Amino acid sequence: MSDDVRVEVPRLRKNALSLSEIVSSSLANVAPAMCIYFSLSLIVGGAGIAAPLTILLAAIAMGFHANAITEFTKALPSTGSYVTFIGKSFGRRMSVIVALMYVFSYIVAIGSVITMGGYWTADILKNFLSVQVPWWLISVLFVLLVYWLTTSGIKLSVRTIVTVFAFEVGLLLISAIAMLIVAHAYISFAPLNPANLKNGWGGVGLGFPIAIFMFIGVGNSAPLAEETENPRKNVPRAVYASVIVAGLLYTFLGYATIIGLHADEAAIAKASVPFIDAAKVALGGFVILAYLAGFTSTLACLIGATNGQSRVIFSAAREGLLPKWLAGVGRKQTPVAAIRFYLVVACLVTFIWSITAAPLDVYGYLSTLGAIGVILVYITLNFALTVFFKRQRPGEFRVWLHGIVPAVSTLTMLLPLWGLVQPGQPVPFNVFPYVVLIYLVLVIAYALVATKMNPELGKRVGSVVADK
């Protein structure tokens, strides 16, 4: 590529973010409060009161997945993240396929956060202020706020994330510590004892898929590479730090909730939001603190996800995989066109679905449908890591890092994938695997035709390196 072409390539603001800022962004994208609120009862239902042990095992599994992101980033730091890494490994057609699958999966998945943000806030207003506001109206206000923050500069939006996320974690820890104080008579190692796994290690298999989903988003620092100081070092550090901190936080919160509810497996498994139930006992009239943690969780998650995923869309457009207009950059060097597209389409998906379904159902539908595509992208990344280093960096290939670890990661991802696509699920969950399959077939067909008609399509993948 000639120098004059390089000048015309839209770029984001370099060296704007520190290590601590991208760690906070990744952790916010995970949404700890909402994940522990709505996942713990399902994990306990499968694994028993040893659910925290299952969460720790999921953290280890996500550590294997983090290996692929970090190894790619060390070699090729890119705002395109998964799309660039996979496309650079498998070629033009796969670049198109993974770009379109990424857009579909992550936009659908973030619709669940938009839904929950509105629903949860409306519930707070109703329960504590006796004010009735339609949840969808609050969701729209959420999205408008996030749009303003994310287009007004990466520094502003990430500093907002850091503040809101710190507030979220503080509220969660206050609530959890209160649970342990009030229920101190029930404190024991039972939730961490393998002997308490329901049906032995078979119980892990039932709770493990849900626990894995709690970590989706830990790699959100990778798309921020172009704006991060020393991305080849700081992004890998951020990814691993996010996995470790999220794993420890989830384990502690899960442990405190189980102790707070007296290790009553049946009651926890039946509870809609066991953390809130335990907080009501421990905090009494101050239970609003736990509710506010949920509010901050959805807000920080939506900001973090918009920052990260819009940049992948921007990068794919910049490198010719998506329409060129999506690579538009604003005065603050933010990908305004991609951000606008991401949020508008996510809102349309969310509100169209909510016409015939309640908000909690919409949350479940969108998070499940989006997760199928996300897991497929995760698995493909593992294969791409081995292919990339074996073919393009043979001198740097390491059997453990580029062969064994990605293979183990793939095996750990097959379990949650099977949980999403296995036959016999209720309507509409039983239809989702076919929706993804049909979409994938159409995308493959398009990629085959498009790359044949346009020999240049996909050739520029990986041409923009974050630190160059």
Side-chain angles (χ1 to χ4, degrees):
M1 185 180 291
S2 60
D3 290 340
D4 59 327
V5 174
R6 286 182 183 276
V7 173
E8 295 175 1
V9 172
R11 298 299 297 255
L12 304 178
R13 183 182 173 190
K14 285 192 173 185
N15 301 318
L17 302 175
S18 65
L19 173 60
S20 61
E21 287 173 327
I22 61 173
V23 170
S24 296
S25 184
S26 292
L27 287 170
N29 195 186
V30 171
M34 280 303 160
C35 282
I36 202 71
Y37 285 8
F38 290 98
S39 300
L40 185 61
S41 61
L42 299 174
I43 298 173
V44 169
I49 63 168
L53 185 60
T54 304
I55 294 172
L56 278 176
L57 292 174
I60 294 172
M62 287 305 296
F64 285 115
H65 170 68
N67 170 74
I69 303 172
T70 59
E71 287 300 303
F72 265 121
T73 301
K74 291 175 186 177
L76 188 69
S78 171
T79 297
S81 184
Y82 292 93
V83 175
T84 298
F85 301 154
I86 295 172
K88 197 69 177 173
S89 303
F90 291 120
R92 299 190 304 127
R93 293 186 181 90
M94 184 58 81
S95 299
V96 177
I97 293 168
V98 73
L100 294 174
M101 179 57 74
Y102 185 98
V103 171
F104 169 83
S105 303
Y106 280 86
I107 285 181
V108 168
I110 202 60
S112 66
V113 179
I114 292 173
T115 305
M116 183 52 68
Y119 172 80
W120 192 262
T121 307
D123 201 45
I124 292 175
L125 294 174
K126 177 182 176 182
N127 291 334
F128 295 96
L129 298 177
S130 299
V131 175
Q132 299 260 11
V133 181
W135 71 267
W136 59 266
L137 179 58
I138 298 174
S139 290
V140 170
L141 295 176
F142 255 64
V143 169
L144 291 174
L145 173 61
V146 169
Y147 175 75
W148 177 76
L149 287 169
T150 53
T151 56
S152 297
I154 186 64
K155 201 72 177 176
L156 174 63
S157 60
V158 171
R159 282 180 175 173
T160 303
I161 288 173
V162 171
T163 303
V164 175
F165 178 70
F167 192 61
E168 172 189 356
V169 173
L171 293 175
L172 288 172
L173 292 178
I174 289 171
S175 302
I177 292 170
M179 294 174 197
L180 294 177
I181 293 173
V182 172
H184 65 274
Y186 294 87
I187 293 177
S188 71
F189 286 102
L192 298 172
N193 187 348
N196 290 320
L197 286 167
K198 184 188 293 185
N199 300 320
W201 288 102
V204 173
L206 296 174
F208 184 78
I210 305 299
I212 283 287
F213 297 145
M214 295 168 66
F215 290 87
I216 288 180
V218 291
N220 191 53
S221 54
L224 302 178
E226 192 168 324
E227 296 149 297
T228 299
E229 301 169 350
N230 197 356
R232 293 177 195 263
K233 287 187 177 180
N234 283 336
V235 170
R237 289 171 180 171
V239 173
Y240 279 121
S242 299
V243 173
I244 293 169
V245 173
L248 293 176
L249 182 61
Y250 283 146
T251 301
F252 176 68
L253 296 176
Y255 176 87
T257 304
I258 290 170
I259 296 301
L261 294 176
H262 305 170
D264 187 337
E265 179 183 326
I268 298 169
K270 290 179 181 178
S272 299
V273 188
F275 190 93
I276 293 295
D277 290 349
K280 288 177 180 177
V281 176
L283 297 173
F286 293 97
V287 70
I288 190 173
L289 296 179
Y291 276 90
L292 289 176
F295 166 79
T296 56
S297 183
T298 54
L299 177 58
C301 176
L302 188 55
I303 299 171
T306 301
N307 270 340
Q309 291 151 26
S310 66
R311 278 156 175 76
V312 177
I313 295 171
F314 157 79
S315 177
R318 179 171 63 181
E319 296 181 346
L321 297 174
L322 296 175
K324 185 178 180 180
W325 61 268
L326 285 171
V329 175
R331 291 184 297 106
K332 300 290 187 178
Q333 287 184 276
T334 56
V336 291
I339 291 172
R340 190 180 301 121
F341 170 79
Y342 176 79
L343 290 174
V344 168
V345 176
C347 282
L348 289 174
V349 171
T350 301
F351 298 138
I352 289 173
W353 212 310
S354 67
I355 293 174
T356 58
L360 281 181
D361 291 331
V362 174
Y363 171 80
Y365 298 158
L366 295 179
S367 58
T368 301
L369 178 58
I372 297 175
V374 172
I375 296 296
L376 288 175
V377 171
Y378 281 7
I379 291 173
T380 307
L381 185 70
N382 288 323
F383 286 106
L385 181 67
T386 303
V387 170
F388 177 81
F389 277 93
K390 195 71 174 176
R391 292 180 180 176
Q392 301 186 33
R393 304 282 181 94
E396 301 174 25
F397 181 81
R398 300 292 181 269
V399 174
W400 172 252
L401 289 176
H402 308 132
I404 295 175
V405 173
V408 173
S409 176
T410 296
L411 291 176
T412 62
M413 290 296 160
L414 290 177
L415 194 56
L417 179 62
W418 174 248
L420 291 167
V421 304
Q422 63 180 316
Q425 299 187 75
V427 177
F429 297 97
N430 63 334
V431 178
F432 292 163
Y434 298 103
V435 172
V436 175
L437 179 61
I438 292 171
Y439 178 78
L440 182 58
V441 170
L442 293 174
V443 165
I444 292 173
Y446 168 78
L448 292 173
V449 174
T451 51
K452 185 175 182 180
M453 294 178 63
N454 181 5
E456 296 301 312
L457 182 60
K459 281 189 176 181
R460 290 192 286 127
V461 171
S463 61
V464 182
V465 180
D467 56 356
K468 292 184 179 179

